[in-house]
Amino acid sequence: MIIKLKEGTLKENADLLKTKLMDLGFEIHESIGSSITIFGVVGDTSKFDQESLYAYDFIDSVLRVQEPFKQVNRKFHPDNSIIDVSGVMIGGENIVVMAGPCAVESQEQVETIAPLVASAGARILRGGAYKPRTSPYSFQGVGGDGLGILKHAGARFNMPVVSEIMSVEDLDYFVGTVDLLQVGARNMQNFSLLKELGKTQVPILLKRGLANTIEEWLMSAEYILAGGNRNVILCERGIRTFETATRSTLDISSIPVLKKLSHLPVIVDPSHAAGRWEYVEALAKASIAAGADGLIIEVHHEPEKALSDGQQSLKPERFQSLMDGCRRIATAIGRKLD
Ligand code: PEP
Ligand code: MN
């Protein structure tokens, strides 16, 4: 149930209502917007007479929420959420690009790529230290040392870092080292991991599962918010369809759908969707045009020698061309891209 208070409602009245609802056993999530306050009421409201609330003269409207997701619902929080990733704001007017190698391979590799993506305008450095590979015989990532390498490069080139967490066991190390924790497509429904991430306040990049609906994806985000962590960014990375020309099919339509249903920022990973470098720029531009708040792009200075995903990694000069193209689209739709 959602309760919208009238503009100018006194805080003491709002607090009174909140206490009454909490005494009835409900959990209240308060959203204070620029002019209105909204209470998201979580709990079994089926036996509660919502009409009775209109007895208070400061209540504007009371709505039952049909969707199973509550805290990620835009009805709960009409304004866009803006997530602060160590000083880089995601979800506001500025479009934010994250870039770097698929996998951290060595300090030299990361420190070669980082300044190149930074000078093209990327604000956040990516790099996987733990890699979820389909084959157990493929390169599995360098592990914990990779996070140290990434953090060091991030500090050197003034970029927060994003890296994928695969296991709850690594959480303590990640929280102190990585600015934005990525939950990969294969772990989108790892509910024990999501619950633990919900207990932290660290920003989470939640990728869409390979074969998950938008509603399932939002329910996974709901796990994190329900635990108390509101710092979630959604990442569309393509879904499995009958099409084999690309690695996945980029679901561009999820961007406006998510923007309607949820207040969380939405970014797009065209690299994993395309699976081939030559399609990445077109998909990136389409994502910005469709309303994405940012992009995450794989870049490698020597893609032919990359230990993972070289076929979809952009050379630095191609990344520069992608940034130039995306900047033009951003300007055309009245947004900014550094
Ligand atoms: C990645 O970003 O390195 C990755 C493995 O992506 P996804 O989980 O979307 O496949
Ligand atoms: Mn990759």
Side-chain angles (χ1 to χ4, degrees):
M1 181 170 67
I2 285 173
I3 305 173
K4 188 170 157 199
L5 307 190
K6 285 183 180 157
E7 251 184 273
T9 296
L10 296 175
K11 188 176 176 312
E12 63 207 61
N13 283 336
D15 287 347
L16 189 88
L17 176 65
K18 197 166 152 187
T19 311
K20 176 188 153 104
L21 292 165
M22 280 161 53
D23 288 348
L24 290 169
F26 297 124
E27 212 180 291
I28 311 297
H29 297 274
E30 210 171 328
S31 160
I32 304 175
S34 37
S35 58
I36 47 164
T37 296
I38 290 179
F39 285 163
V41 182
V42 179
D44 180 9
T45 53
S46 58
K47 295 190 189 69
F48 182 75
D49 174 15
Q50 68 179 62
E51 289 297 311
S52 68
L53 289 170
Y54 285 106
Y56 295 99
D57 60 4
F58 55 86
I59 287 194
D60 181 82
S61 52
V62 184
L63 306 172
R64 282 211 191 277
V65 183
Q66 303 301 330
E67 296 86 5
F69 45 89
K70 311 283 178 204
Q71 297 193 55
V72 306
N73 202 314
R74 194 176 275 283
K75 289 178 187 155
F76 257 38
H77 190 286
D79 296 335
N80 288 333
S81 281
I82 300 180
I83 310 299
D84 181 347
V85 179
S86 303
V88 177
M89 300 301 194
I90 301 179
E93 193 191 352
N94 274 33
I95 290 165
V96 173
V97 178
M98 313 178 187
C102 173
V104 172
E105 296 166 12
S106 67
Q107 180 169 349
E108 193 196 350
Q109 173 238 19
V110 178
E111 298 201 358
T112 302
I113 296 168
L116 296 171
V117 295
S119 68
R123 302 289 311 279
I124 297 181
L125 180 64
R126 71 150 283 152
Y130 298 90
K131 296 302 304 173
R133 305 305 299 277
T134 302
S135 166
Y137 307 114
S138 301
F139 173 61
Q140 301 287 306
V142 295
D145 292 349
L147 295 185
I149 292 174
L150 193 67
K151 184 183 163 85
H152 185 264
R156 188 165 159 211
F157 300 103
N158 197 23
M159 299 168 93
V161 299
V162 52
S163 198
E164 175 166 355
I165 180 162
M166 284 172 51
S167 161
V168 173
E169 286 161 33
D170 303 322
L171 186 56
D172 287 344
Y173 187 42
F174 265 83
V175 169
T177 315
V178 175
D179 303 275
L180 175 61
L181 269 58
Q182 174 174 324
V183 175
R186 291 153 194 83
N187 267 314
M188 188 203 86
Q189 288 188 314
N190 180 341
F191 299 116
S192 42
L193 177 60
L194 300 178
K195 281 182 190 166
E196 288 306 313
L197 295 173
K199 293 179 191 161
T200 73
Q201 286 303 312
V202 61
I204 309 297
L205 184 67
L206 181 64
K207 291 190 126 188
R208 182 179 187 173
L210 289 92
N212 285 109
T213 63
I214 292 173
E215 185 168 299
E216 287 164 343
W217 186 12
L218 288 172
M219 291 309 289
S220 289
E222 186 81 15
Y223 264 90
I224 304 172
L225 271 80
N229 184 356
R230 305 185 66 81
N231 302 311
V232 175
I233 300 162
L234 301 166
C235 178
E236 169 63 57
R237 46 80 69 215
I239 48 175
R240 185 156 289 183
T241 68
F242 53 82
E243 184 54 72
T244 54
T246 48
R247 185 173 177 181
S248 289
T249 298
L250 182 62
D251 183 10
I252 287 280
S253 52
S254 76
I255 305 165
V257 172
L258 289 167
K259 287 284 168 191
K260 178 177 177 192
L261 296 178
S262 176
H263 52 87
L264 297 175
V266 181
I267 74 156
V268 173
D269 172 351
S271 305
H272 288 89
R276 294 279 293 277
W277 62 263
E278 66 255 60
Y279 307 137
V280 173
E281 181 174 332
L283 298 184
K285 289 193 284 199
S287 303
I288 302 299
D293 298 299
L295 299 167
I296 182 164
I297 311 280
E298 289 186 340
V299 178
H300 201 291
H301 61 304
E302 294 175 317
E304 56 292 337
K305 293 191 187 153
L307 296 182
S308 67
D309 287 348
Q311 73 287 356
Q312 66 197 33
S313 299
L314 297 182
K315 288 187 174 158
E317 59 273 20
R318 292 200 172 105
F319 177 64
Q320 178 71 62
S321 143
L322 175 150
M323 292 296 282
D324 294 343
C326 287
R327 235 174 243 123
R328 285 195 292 274
I329 306 269
T331 308
I333 61 166
R335 293 185 77 175
K336 286 192 200 136
L337 200 168
D338 292 340

